[in-house]
Amino acid sequence: MAYIQAGPEPLREACPFDEAPLKSDEDGLIVARGKTAYALLNLFPYNSGHLLICPYRHIGTYDEATAEEVAEIGAMTQTAMRVLRTVSRCDGFNIGMNQGAVAGAGVAAHLHQHVVPRWATDANFFPIIAKTKALPQLLGEVRQAVADAWPAPAR
């Protein structure tokens, strides 16, 4: 509902992916923080548990990322898949990056990778008839479950 009420292009004074790490994990919907990247829940999820993996650095495209950022984004993506498989018992994933507004990036100025859990039964008549998708859990509940299941970083 928040997405619908905001309209096609929510007004933003600051990049949400620059702002999220400045907030508490709960307020920023962050489930894990790494050295160069972090994982957070999508504020407008396609499915429950829809995560985004973002570098802290404000870059727009994948080719601007350093080797260290690419490695951590990849490692966090793998961890996200393992955690979501455990927490939500999903059957598969959609993983990807939309590079630029023309490619569908909602926040084109800050690189982010989507990790969307999928289930064999996650499609019903709502998306077809009402262009609506039912999400059975609140973001705060999903964030807590994923954060609790995320392994502690190796030291």
Side-chain angles (χ1 to χ4, degrees), residues 2-151:
Y3 180 75
I4 292 167
Q5 290 175 339
E9 182 59 34
L11 296 175
R12 294 187 185 107
E13 298 202 11
C15 173
F17 300 139
D18 287 341
E19 294 293 314
L22 304 177
K23 300 177 181 178
S24 70
D25 288 354
E26 292 78 13
D27 290 341
L29 298 176
I30 294 172
V31 298
R33 295 176 188 256
K35 182 178 177 189
T36 65
Y38 67 99
L40 75 161
L41 284 176
N42 189 331
L43 185 58
F44 306 114
Y46 180 74
N47 271 343
S48 292
H50 180 167
L51 292 176
L52 303 172
I53 313 296
C54 303
Y56 291 108
R57 212 163 52 93
H58 188 88
I59 55 173
T61 57
Y62 194 59
D63 59 334
E64 296 176 70
T66 65
E68 187 178 17
E69 288 166 332
V70 168
E72 188 162 42
I73 290 167
M76 290 186 97
T77 298
Q78 289 180 320
T79 301
M81 292 172 69
R82 292 178 190 117
V83 168
L84 289 169
R85 206 177 281 119
T86 298
V87 170
S88 67
R89 294 188 215 124
C90 57
D91 300 314
F93 299 91
N94 290 118
I95 296 173
M97 296 180 187
N98 300 324
Q99 301 285 279
V102 70
V107 181
H110 198 125
L111 178 67
H112 56 284
Q113 175 150 277
H114 295 260
V115 181
V116 183
R118 300 300 304 268
W119 297 265
T121 58
D122 72 2
N124 59 31
F125 66 91
F126 276 159
I128 297 161
I129 305 289
K131 295 185 174 128
T132 301
K133 187 152 188 119
L135 298 173
Q137 286 185 293
L138 297 173
L139 285 173
E141 294 171 358
V142 175
R143 193 215 68 80
Q144 190 64 56
V146 173
D148 288 349
W150 201 279

